[in-house]
Amino acid sequence: MLKKISLLCILSAGFFTITAQEKIPFRMTKHNNIIIKTLVNDKDSLDLMFQIAMEDASISPERQRKADHIIFDKDDISKNNTVKIGKLIKKNVLFANNELTGHEADGKIGTGLFAGKAFKIDYDHNEFVSYDQLPDVKGYQAIPLLLQNGQLFIAGDNVIDGKQHEAYFLLQSGYSGGLLYSNEFSDEKDLEKKLKVTGEKTLRNSSGQSVTTKNGVLPFFKLGTLVLKDVSAGFFTGNLKTQRANYFGADVIRRFIWIIDPDRKTAYIKPSQYFSAPYYKLN
């Protein structure tokens, strides 16, 4: 009888190790940004925007709440901070100073929250779930990830003028819109002529150089076997050529539920409640 009880305890312990998880609630803004309520260094209550395109954290110069207990050095870097989110305690968090962030946020926090763990972005329940190991992904589709300098890229197929073009996109949850194309991709595919343009805005710098942001509509975008239709797609024209990467923005990220593996080599996706929602309109 004692042996049976001991075996049951071992099996139960193993089961809970495999399925151990931590839930973190978040709030979605009308601009598609994810806001997490945090307590930094046991003193500063801050609303931080989750930025999947970074690992560490930062504070915005336009913050609404005080961050007096984050001490920055001469290079505007602060190390060894403690961040509490509910029951989760994350130590040795690095903050950068004076980085702009999304609407309604005092700063940003990245994927370092889930270092060494798998994590889910669940837009149906407005929560993150972190796992010690990859959870059951039945019903999800596997998408390869490319990890570069702490940033995650995925490959998607763009249907332009009836032809399919593959491109890599940086997962960028700080950009409220849908797709945003690099200058190289935009020029090469002649998007100004081949996409239906729905709006534009021109800005000039002190030297008189201009950049025009154009909002267009991509007929189809394919991620794995899942297809988004009439996708909001932005690109730039003008003298300034500063957009170096294609962005997979918050408006398209929210259309899926994501599970990211611990090694950041694979994302598992399935449609969320927002899969067919109207697209976000940029101002």
Side-chain angles (χ1 to χ4, degrees):
M1 183 68 176
L2 181 60
K3 288 183 178 179
K4 288 184 179 180
I5 293 174
S6 299
L7 179 61
L8 179 61
C9 290
I10 292 170
L11 290 174
S12 297
F15 175 79
F16 284 114
T17 298
I18 292 173
T19 58
Q21 58 182 254
E22 184 82 44
K23 293 185 178 182
I24 299 174
F26 63 73
R27 174 174 63 87
M28 279 274 291
T29 74
K30 65 179 181 180
H31 303 286
N32 299 325
N33 299 134
I34 290 175
I35 303 295
I36 307 172
K37 287 195 170 297
T38 68
L39 181 65
V40 182
N41 297 330
D42 291 317
K43 298 289 184 180
D44 298 323
S45 297
L46 300 173
D47 284 1
L48 299 181
M49 182 195 80
F50 176 70
Q51 172 54 287
I52 198 171
M54 65 188 286
E55 292 182 304
D56 298 314
S58 66
I59 292 298
S60 170
E62 299 177 354
R63 60 185 177 272
Q64 299 299 309
R65 297 163 187 83
K66 292 182 179 180
D68 296 339
H69 299 87
I70 303 175
I71 308 303
F72 294 96
D73 62 21
K74 60 183 179 59
D75 297 316
D76 271 343
I77 298 296
S78 178
K79 300 179 181 180
N80 303 319
N81 297 283
T82 299
V83 176
K84 293 183 179 179
I85 307 169
K87 296 180 180 179
L88 175 68
I89 300 175
K90 189 71 178 178
K91 296 183 178 181
N92 301 318
V93 178
L94 184 150
F95 277 85
N97 198 14
N98 293 323
E99 289 188 4
L100 294 178
T101 187
H103 300 275
E104 304 177 36
D106 303 306
K108 299 176 286 191
I109 194 160
T111 57
L113 274 178
F114 311 109
K117 297 188 176 186
F119 69 95
K120 178 196 287 187
I121 310 174
D122 188 345
Y123 287 100
D124 286 354
H125 298 94
N126 283 358
E127 66 182 15
F128 293 102
V129 186
S130 68
Y131 307 89
D132 290 336
Q133 298 183 31
L134 187 69
D136 182 8
V137 291
K138 183 179 180 180
Y140 289 79
Q141 183 173 165
I143 303 293
L145 288 173
L146 176 63
L147 177 63
Q148 290 187 341
N149 299 319
Q151 297 183 318
L152 302 173
F153 293 80
I154 56 170
D157 291 317
N158 308 264
V159 177
I160 301 167
D161 201 22
K163 298 179 181 180
Q164 192 165 293
H165 304 273
E166 185 183 57
Y168 274 90
F169 290 80
L170 170 65
L171 294 180
Q172 175 49 280
S173 56
Y175 174 65
S176 297
L179 303 177
L180 181 65
Y181 290 107
S182 68
N183 293 120
E184 181 181 3
F185 188 91
S186 176
D187 292 345
E188 181 184 321
K189 307 305 179 188
D190 201 10
L191 297 186
E192 190 171 8
K193 293 181 180 179
K194 294 183 178 178
L195 290 188
K196 177 185 176 182
V197 175
T198 58
E200 63 180 68
K201 180 186 294 185
T202 299
L203 299 173
R204 294 182 185 277
N205 65 11
S206 58
S207 301
Q209 293 176 306
S210 67
V211 59
T212 299
T213 306
K214 296 201 173 186
N215 299 319
V217 177
L218 181 72
F220 300 100
F221 180 84
K222 186 177 180 183
L223 185 58
T225 62
L226 296 168
V227 178
L228 293 171
K229 299 179 181 180
D230 296 327
V231 184
S232 174
F235 57 95
F236 296 99
T237 62
N239 308 119
L240 299 176
K241 303 290 185 181
T242 58
Q243 187 63 31
R244 295 180 175 85
N246 300 311
Y247 283 177
F248 197 81
D251 191 25
V252 278
I253 292 176
R254 72 178 178 128
R255 295 171 191 274
F256 304 92
I257 294 174
W258 301 75
I259 295 177
I260 310 293
D261 80 335
D263 296 326
R264 311 299 185 246
K265 293 181 178 179
T266 308
Y268 299 86
I269 63 170
K270 67 179 181 180
S272 74
Q273 63 179 323
Y274 300 110
F275 188 77
S276 300
Y279 283 91
Y280 177 82
K281 293 183 179 180
L282 292 168
N283 294 327

